[in-house]
Amino acid sequence: MNNFAIIGVAGYIAPRHLRAIKDTGGKLISALDRFDSVGIIDSFFPQAAFFTEHELFDRHNSKLRGTQEAIDHVSVCTPNYLHDAHCRYGLRLGADVICEKPLVLNPWNIDALQEIERETGRRVYNILQLRLHDSIVALKKKIEAGPSGKIYDVDLTYITSRGNWYYTSWKGDERKSGGIATNIGVHFYDMLTWVFGSVRSNVVHVAAHDRVAGYLELEHARVRYFLSINEALLPADAVEGEKRTYRTIEINGESFEFSEGFTELHTESYRRILAGEGFGLDEARNSIQIVHDIRNATPIGLRGDYHPMAGCPLAPHPFGWKR
């Protein structure tokens, strides 16, 4: 049996990790969160020790070293800007780390984590679940079997509605979240580079508080993307169906369907990691470099090969902020 600790157990994504730990036969030994609304633990591991202070959490875990309850894996489900520090903590505890995406905010953070991996002999794994989605695996195989020099035209649109709370939370602070492209787009950029190859060009057309649009030239694809958290931009049929999320990918004008089958992928990710087949630091590098470059780019405006939705009028920020 593998023993786990989890950091960030009160958050939105934590239940998927708790389910994955249980479904893979693991045991949650300890959990940490500054917030104590963590009744979700009772559905999975009611006997787990819970802490709201890192110092007490660390003391508890450190005392277990050398015992049958020593921590084998630390799952990191905290806000984006804390991932680096919590991955470092897990490695130095003598555990492997399973971290939500984005793994870190900056490419050089990966270099530093690799050094700690070498020092400790432990590993950091990133949840890149789209690489395990059946439809996307099939797409990758199709592209690999196609003509070697073929370049595909890809349009990615992802709109996932967020209320005013978003701007008050850490997600609305670009220094902590990495901005829209990082918050809601990093797994798509990882998937696209996994399927279509490395980045040759990265152009940002529009960047605002509620959207980002741009163009990626990949080894085997020209990608136009539009990402937004603005409900007003949802297509009419999505609104009428009372959906708050719209995602679509078109490849050479044909719709690519992968809307279903997301919820079970964390468990499959854990199975792969425990079997020694997880996605490590190097696999995360491409997407982290992409979102870092988008965040630090100067938007060129609506010229060139931009996504058609990038021309939508900018909605006013709910608190009147300007960029």
Side-chain angles (χ1 to χ4, degrees):
M1 177 179 292
N2 290 282
N3 294 330
F4 287 82
I6 187 169
I7 306 177
V9 73
Y12 164 79
I13 203 67
R16 296 189 189 181
H17 287 259
L18 293 172
R19 169 65 65 186
I21 293 170
K22 185 170 184 177
D23 287 350
T24 55
K27 179 181 180 181
L28 185 67
I29 301 297
S30 60
L32 169 67
D33 204 295
R34 59 184 294 190
F35 301 104
D36 58 9
S37 296
V38 292
I40 186 65
I41 296 177
D42 288 345
S43 299
F44 298 97
F45 301 100
Q47 302 304 316
F50 172 70
F51 302 89
T52 58
E53 297 179 26
H54 188 278
E55 293 80 2
L56 298 179
F57 176 72
D58 177 43
R59 184 175 68 177
H60 178 81
N61 293 336
S62 296
K63 289 172 66 176
L64 294 176
R65 298 185 74 164
T67 74
Q68 291 185 345
E69 292 200 326
I71 305 300
D72 301 305
H73 303 271
V74 173
S75 297
V76 176
C77 307
T78 49
N80 300 351
Y81 71 105
L82 297 175
H83 288 180
D84 181 42
H86 291 151
C87 286
R88 290 166 178 260
Y89 168 75
L91 292 173
R92 289 181 168 138
L93 181 66
D96 289 333
V97 178
I98 302 173
C99 185
E100 259 302 329
K101 53 194 178 302
L103 178 66
V104 289
L105 293 181
N106 304 298
W108 55 85
N109 300 140
I110 295 177
D111 300 330
L113 286 173
Q114 285 180 323
E115 182 60 33
I116 301 173
E117 280 189 334
R118 287 190 286 269
E119 293 172 2
T120 62
R122 311 304 295 188
R123 293 286 308 278
V124 176
Y125 297 99
N126 199 193
I127 297 291
L128 300 174
Q129 75 269 34
L130 289 186
R131 296 190 184 199
L132 305 180
H133 194 289
D134 288 343
S135 296
I136 294 169
V137 171
L139 174 64
K140 180 176 173 63
K141 292 179 179 178
K142 178 181 177 180
I143 300 303
E144 290 174 343
S148 60
K150 185 171 183 178
I151 305 298
Y152 297 82
D153 288 311
V154 179
D155 284 290
L156 164 66
T157 306
Y158 182 48
I159 304 170
T160 180
S161 308
R162 297 291 186 268
N164 288 342
W165 66 267
Y166 182 95
Y167 301 102
T168 302
S169 75
W170 63 267
K171 294 176 182 287
D173 185 340
E174 188 174 278
R175 297 168 302 172
K176 295 181 176 181
S177 70
I180 295 291
T182 307
N183 253 350
I184 69 171
V186 67
H187 56 307
F188 289 115
Y189 298 127
D190 173 74
M191 180 268 285
L192 289 169
T193 54
W194 186 62
V195 172
F196 294 105
S198 58
V199 177
R200 293 179 173 176
S201 178
N202 184 345
V203 178
V204 177
H205 290 282
V206 173
H209 63 274
D210 64 351
R211 72 196 69 187
V212 63
Y215 169 78
L216 290 172
E217 183 177 336
L218 306 181
E219 186 178 355
H220 297 291
R222 294 181 290 260
V223 179
R224 300 186 301 176
Y225 66 85
F226 179 79
L227 311 175
S228 178
I229 58 170
N230 190 330
E231 181 180 13
L233 300 180
L234 286 168
D237 55 349
V239 175
E240 291 169 1
E242 297 184 351
K243 296 180 180 179
R244 294 184 58 83
T245 295
Y246 174 80
R247 68 169 68 85
T248 180
I249 291 181
E250 291 188 356
I251 302 174
N252 287 352
E254 296 184 2
S255 179
F256 172 68
E257 178 58 45
F258 67 112
S259 297
E260 304 299 328
F262 280 89
T263 56
E264 301 82 13
L265 294 180
H266 274 71
T267 294
E268 181 59 24
S269 296
Y270 269 66
R271 288 196 181 102
R272 299 286 184 96
I273 290 168
L274 296 176
E277 300 173 356
F279 302 117
L281 294 176
D282 283 331
E283 283 86 354
R285 188 178 294 275
N286 278 343
S287 59
I288 299 303
Q289 185 70 58
I290 289 171
V291 295
H292 169 270
D293 292 345
I294 291 172
R295 186 166 64 247
N296 290 281
T298 299
I300 67 170
L302 301 182
R303 53 190 175 90
D305 196 6
Y306 64 88
H307 191 288
M309 289 198 72
C312 295
L314 290 180
H317 192 287
F319 301 130
W321 298 345
K322 296 180 180 179
R323 290 179 61 102

